[in-house]
Amino acid sequence: MVRLSLRSSRPHGDTARSRGAQRSGGPPASAAPMDSSSQPQPQSPAAGGDPSEDGAAAELPRLTVTQVEQMKVEARVADIYRVLFDAAPNAKSVMLELWRDQHVEYLMKGLRHLAPSFHVLDANRPWLCYWMVHGLALLDETLDDDLENDIVDFLSRCQDKHGGYGGGPGQLPHLATSYAAVNTLVTIGSERALSSIKRDNLYKFMLLMKDKSGAFRMHDGGEIDVRACYTAISVASLVNILDDELAKGVGNYIASCQTYEGGIAGEPSAEAHGGYTFCGLAAMVLLNEVEKLDLPSLIGWVAFRQGVECGFQGRTNKLVDGCYSFWQGAAIALAQKLMAGSDEQSKQSQPSKLSSVDDSCGTSSSGLASEKSSVVDYAKIGFDFMKQSNQIGPLFHNIALQQYILLCAQVPEGGLRDKPGKNRDHYHSCYCLSGLSVSQYSAMTGSVSCPLPQHMLGPYSNLLEQIHPLYNVVLEKYEEAYEFFSSE
Amino acid sequence: MGSSSGEEGEEQWVPPSRRPELADVAPLPQADGPCPVVSIAYRGDFREVMDYFRALYAAGERSPRALRLTADAIHLNPGNYTVWHFRRVVLEALDADLLLEMHFVDQIAESNPKNYQVWHHKRWLAEKIGPDAANSEHDFTRKILAMDAKNYHAWSHRQWVLQALGGWESELQYCNQLLEEDVFNNSAWNQRYLVVTRSPILGGLAAMRDSEVDYTVEAIMVNPQNESPWRYLRGLYKDDNNLLVADNRISDACLKVLNKDWQCVFALSFLLDLLRMGLQPSDELKGTIEAMENSDPETGHADIAVAVCSILQKCDPLRINYWSWYRTTLSS
Ligand SMILES: [Zn+2]
């Protein structure tokens, strides 16, 4: 079943010589709102010790911080994989299990009570809701009605009277927490949840957050970046308030953030980064402006972010991190869907040609959005995207990614983490599970309706719910919300 | 998670409820409702500071005591953007000393270098101070980057200061220094790209390209497994494929690396891109590729790009799906 012995594990000395260091030191500064990874400890180049012990040591040039940190992680991951490869077949299957019950317990517990140390996330409480509720939905775990209603009530308290959601009751409305709140409510999916979103106000709030460049700022007087653009566009698309006025200029801003490496940065000239690459590409799809990106070079950059540890790194020469299973994995899964069949040239193609205000559902789109007739029918882009099946297979190693998540990111007590040696947290639990779902479904092509066993690692019971990769909400929940908001 | 907050060495911290200056303020509890979710078990001091903050924030009070209270709240949770936002409103109303404020935020940033809010606040301040802030801001990011040479926020701030306020003079030298320390530092390569393309004193990419190619090829030769210079090299010819293909130094570099290590994925993939862009392979190159293929009689392709791609499918198994797809995009 597991044919990855190829290069996932290597003895230390060999690693030192042959790989050099493709990856580097320091946990990534996550594009997500909160990556609670600890600060990196800069190491003097001599601090590596073990990797240079073999006979070639004398010929090795001085190792840099990047190389030393990379080798430590590789060695740690190799130890884990070696146990797998040496195990008997039935033991292998046990090792590759997803520990559903433990993850459910961990996520459920946090939904009610959090320890005092969580005060640093006091301005991110809708995010905490989303990480847990979405994680549970991926695991197909239903919440009881009381809990669902309490979440809806809580998020209503975070909703500003002039529109948008803040990080807690009474806090300033913020685009990222609005994204977290709306995704949570869509995942809950009840009439009460969906109708609690004040769409008119949300629309007004978003217009106020628009900079003259077209890009969005996170909150009144807040920072402008690709993450703000994505969260705005994703929310607007999801609740069907996206129109030309909101869309104007965003695509050009995002395109200006694609770097010489091929990935997308947080702002123009900054470094290509997995989080922003997902945000930028997903927003471009929702805006119907993907053609403004150099897609082949973006794909090439993401494909190279998967490393010998089998997981993804966030930037060139940085360390592997479980949360990029989603950011990079979903970005390349989006790109896969944008690619036409194999007999065509690698020209980027849109999943569907979107004509002007065509309305096959019979109801016209939101009164808010339809004041001016759009050239692009934003209301249907996200929906049509998923109706189009994959014409090509995955562009990354979907089995290897599952191996990293299952073996290196799972914590036995429940929850998932960045990498071995790190603690679990809700953010990494959410994005490791999201990445696992993306990799399980990525090999589905043509008319296949569910993943084949050979595209999954571990028992078939590992299969998670499928997500809509443009929004990162469970697909079924998305479809219900789409119905709801198309008729609003 | 940083539970210790008051390392500032202030005399003795007095809770707001015991401060005479706040005696007339009625603390405002958080409206969490009767059945809260994701409910944080706040410590007493945290709850108290936030209750007083909420009271002054709700009243919109722009006063020195409000400013002091925002400092308390920020020390307890530097991620609270609402507090920072209100602090800026108060600072403007009080026409506060911007340099003093910069000192305040620098101290917070040093212990929270990956926090979005501190960097945003610094940018706001630096913009108000103007070009005079350039040097001290560059010193500050240098200090942060000395602790973590890849801190994304610090790099973004440094780039913004360069472009908005200046201070380009020694930036290329700084890149050289960082790359000498760690040639795998991709953030430093990215910064180098900014300097080479945007510095007003270097003449832009066209003027710099030639010497940059030499610099980069040298870095590749020392360490062909370092992806950063390979990507940088491509960046030097961004949107100019014809020039890239015409530069013999580059195809020579690929060939040289492959002669030592025929499985070097970066060299093979670069070569593949060159061929796709129209590189006419030299006899030597053809010979090298054929020799590689001969080590595996299964293959053997008339089209040299297809041949390179099939070599990559074999020696880069992690990206087998990618290379298989790539191959379908080659017209043959
Ligand atoms: Zn992470």
Side-chain angles (χ1 to χ4, degrees), chain A residues 29-293:
Chain A
S30 169
M34 196 63 204
D35 187 345
S36 43
S37 44
S38 56
Q39 285 316 115
Q41 292 303 310
Q43 297 263 341
S44 77
D50 53 312
S52 50
E53 271 163 22
D54 74 11
E59 290 162 40
L60 283 174
R62 181 183 64 101
L63 294 174
T64 74
V65 178
T66 298
Q67 290 173 298
V68 170
E69 294 298 316
Q70 171 62 20
M71 284 186 290
K72 283 188 199 163
V73 173
E74 275 183 34
R76 211 158 178 158
V77 170
D79 285 344
I80 292 172
Y81 290 163
R82 200 171 302 125
V83 175
L84 175 76
F85 301 134
D86 294 347
N90 54 339
K92 265 185 191 141
S93 166
V94 172
M95 287 178 69
L96 292 168
E97 255 173 51
L98 178 69
W99 301 322
R100 285 175 171 271
D101 295 348
Q102 289 84 338
H103 300 322
V104 167
E105 196 193 326
Y106 170 65
L107 294 169
M108 273 294 187
K109 210 174 91 191
L111 259 180
R112 281 294 181 190
H113 298 291
L114 295 163
S117 60
F118 279 82
H119 72 275
V120 295
L121 292 174
D122 189 44
N124 296 78
R125 288 174 69 197
W127 276 113
L128 286 162
C129 290
Y130 169 64
W131 297 332
M132 295 178 213
V133 169
H134 179 54
L136 289 164
L138 283 164
L139 292 158
D140 197 22
E141 184 72 18
T142 44
L143 309 179
D144 67 57
D145 290 352
D146 284 349
L147 184 53
E148 283 193 351
N149 288 336
D150 289 346
I151 296 169
V152 175
D153 288 346
F154 171 72
L155 292 173
S156 295
R157 289 168 179 276
C158 297
Q159 190 167 207
D160 189 86
K161 61 175 184 287
H162 300 301
Y165 293 79
Q171 296 182 26
L172 266 185
H174 189 289
L175 281 173
T177 43
S178 296
Y179 170 86
V182 168
N183 274 8
T184 304
L185 292 165
V186 164
T187 304
I188 289 174
S190 61
E191 157 102 42
R192 184 163 175 226
L194 298 178
S195 58
S196 74
I197 303 168
K198 302 278 179 280
R199 295 153 78 230
D200 306 39
N201 289 348
L202 188 55
Y203 179 79
K204 286 178 204 149
F205 165 64
M206 285 188 183
L207 269 191
L208 286 175
M209 293 308 105
K210 221 170 147 60
D211 181 63
K212 40 182 191 305
S213 66
F216 285 89
R217 53 180 75 248
M218 275 299 188
H219 56 86
D220 180 25
E223 68 273 18
I224 296 170
D225 62 18
V226 170
R227 205 171 56 112
C229 294
Y230 166 66
T231 50
I233 297 301
S234 170
V235 166
S237 163
L238 201 44
V239 304
N240 195 18
I241 55 175
L242 185 54
D243 64 4
D244 287 338
E245 202 165 349
L246 279 179
K248 196 170 55 190
V250 187
N252 288 341
Y253 176 79
I254 292 172
S256 75
C257 294
Q258 185 170 27
T259 85
Y260 69 88
E261 290 192 78
I264 298 172
E267 319 177 53
S269 310
E271 187 181 359
H273 183 292
Y276 297 113
T277 300
F278 168 79
C279 288
L281 178 57
M284 289 302 234
V285 174
L286 292 171
L287 292 162
N288 198 33
E289 295 184 55
V290 176
E291 73 285 348
K292 289 185 175 162
L293 294 172

Side-chain angles (χ1 to χ4, degrees), chain B residues 13-79:
Chain B
W13 189 75
V14 179
S17 60
R18 281 194 262 139
R19 293 180 201 173
E21 66 169 13
L22 294 170
D24 63 311
V25 178
L28 185 61
Q30 178 165 261
D32 242 0
C35 305
V37 295
V38 291
S39 173
I40 301 169
Y42 302 116
R43 289 200 326 255
D45 56 346
F46 186 91
R47 185 186 300 274
E48 194 180 314
V49 166
M50 292 312 293
D51 286 354
Y52 276 86
F53 166 76
R54 270 185 286 269
L56 296 188
Y57 177 60
E61 182 181 306
R62 299 158 194 201
S63 65
R65 69 177 183 176
L67 190 66
R68 281 190 286 275
L69 206 55
T70 59
D72 285 306
I74 284 166
H75 276 121
L76 290 166
N77 177 18

Side-chain angles (χ1 to χ4, degrees), chain A residues 21 24 27 42 64 66 111-112 114 122 125 157 167 172 221 261 267 269 271 303 305-306 315 317 394 396, chain B residues 30-31 37-39 41-42 81 85 114 120 123 147 150 152 159 182 184 186-187 190 226-228 319 321:
Chain A
S24 91
T64 74
T66 298
L111 259 180
R112 281 294 181 190
L114 295 163
D122 189 44
R125 288 174 69 197
R157 289 168 179 276
L172 266 185
E261 290 192 78
E267 319 177 53
S269 310
E271 187 181 359
R305 305 284 59 75
Q306 194 170 19
R315 298 182 247 161
N317 279 335
F396 67 109
Chain B
Q30 178 165 261
V37 295
V38 291
S39 173
Y42 302 116
Y81 60 90
H85 178 266
K114 292 194 175 176
H120 182 60
R123 198 180 287 199
M147 295 187 281
K150 300 172 184 176
Y152 203 82
Q159 296 196 331
D182 187 348
F184 293 87
N186 194 63
S187 304
N190 187 73
N226 181 3
E227 184 178 353
S228 293
R319 266 166 286 280
N321 291 332

